[in-house]
Amino acid sequence: ARMPRTKQEAIAEFRVETILEAAHRVFSAKGYEGATIQEIAEAAGIAKGTVYLYYESKLDLYWATLKQGMEELRVQTVAAVGAAASPEEAIRAFIRTKADHFEKHRDFFAMYFTEFGQAVVMRAPCQQAIDDSYIAQTGILAEAIAKGIEEGRVRPVNARKVAFAVFDVTRGLVARRTRGWSSATLDEDVETAFDLVWKGLEAR
């Protein structure tokens, strides 16, 4: 990221970060309906009017907070998969990083899965950013799978299609845990998903 050009830009950047952090905390504690701009402003230590300089509504602020969370997840996932030494490690790192992130921010993401049904989610103003993040994450996983095919560790498959399938398995795991539908530990759920995927990919 480039350095802010002016003092005003630096202040604006700092304010936006402060507002998004506060919004994340308040949305997590109160849910979307229960949260108010007033509470978010108080949590950020600024005036309510200042929040409205950056975000025109609570919904606008929610999408910005979600977008920031997804960007954080993209950075973590790309780094973890990129650092993996084998296709197995890459797949496990992909599943684990995403599961960990959603688990850590479970109350916040619960809104994404429950209060905002798929119809709303698909029309999210930040949908393009979410899609770009999705493509970047699956792209680096596809590279790791393709490398595994070259090394003879993974059977010949369409690496890109498989990467999307791993994403779908992971998303299902995350949605189940966020909705409280899983009684297993996070480790157990991650290993079950990994095992299922790896057994289907491993070169015999």
Side-chain angles (χ1 to χ4, degrees), residues 52-66:
Y52 283 114
L53 290 176
Y54 299 95
Y55 303 101
E56 59 187 47
S57 66
K58 182 169 76 167
L59 188 59
D60 187 31
L61 178 51
Y62 173 74
W63 292 131
T65 312
L66 179 70

Side-chain angles (χ1 to χ4, degrees), residues 68-82 97-98 101 133 136-137 140:
Q68 188 201 42
M70 292 299 194
E71 174 57 19
E72 197 182 298
L73 177 58
R74 182 191 68 78
V75 170
Q76 288 171 1
T77 304
V78 168
V81 173
T97 306
K98 296 175 86 57
H101 185 84
S133 167
Q137 291 172 51
I140 192 158

Side-chain angles (χ1 to χ4, degrees), residues 71-191:
E71 174 57 19
E72 197 182 298
L73 177 58
R74 182 191 68 78
V75 170
Q76 288 171 1
T77 304
V78 168
V81 173
S86 67
E88 300 101 298
E89 267 185 47
I91 291 164
R92 189 185 267 112
F94 183 89
I95 298 169
R96 158 65 68 183
T97 306
K98 296 175 86 57
D100 274 344
H101 185 84
F102 281 94
E103 195 79 6
K104 198 170 145 201
H105 304 288
R106 198 175 197 170
D107 292 337
F108 177 76
F109 285 111
M111 289 182 284
Y112 184 74
F113 289 109
T114 55
E115 291 190 49
F116 297 95
Q118 279 303 311
V120 178
V121 170
M122 295 324 286
R123 290 199 303 270
C126 61
Q127 192 62 46
Q128 188 58 53
I130 292 171
D131 290 348
D132 291 346
S133 167
Y134 181 72
I135 300 296
Q137 291 172 51
T138 47
I140 192 158
L141 182 60
E143 283 172 27
I145 292 166
K147 191 163 175 279
I149 295 167
E150 279 170 31
E151 293 167 354
R153 298 169 70 93
V154 175
R155 66 188 179 84
V157 290
N158 181 316
R160 192 152 179 75
K161 283 182 182 170
V162 169
F164 277 113
V166 177
F167 195 106
D168 288 338
V169 167
T170 309
R171 187 167 49 184
L173 181 164
V174 162
R176 276 197 314 281
R177 294 194 66 82
T178 307
R179 286 181 164 132
W181 292 353
S182 173
S183 56
T185 66
L186 182 65
D187 284 343
E188 286 167 350
D189 274 343
V190 167
E191 278 310 304

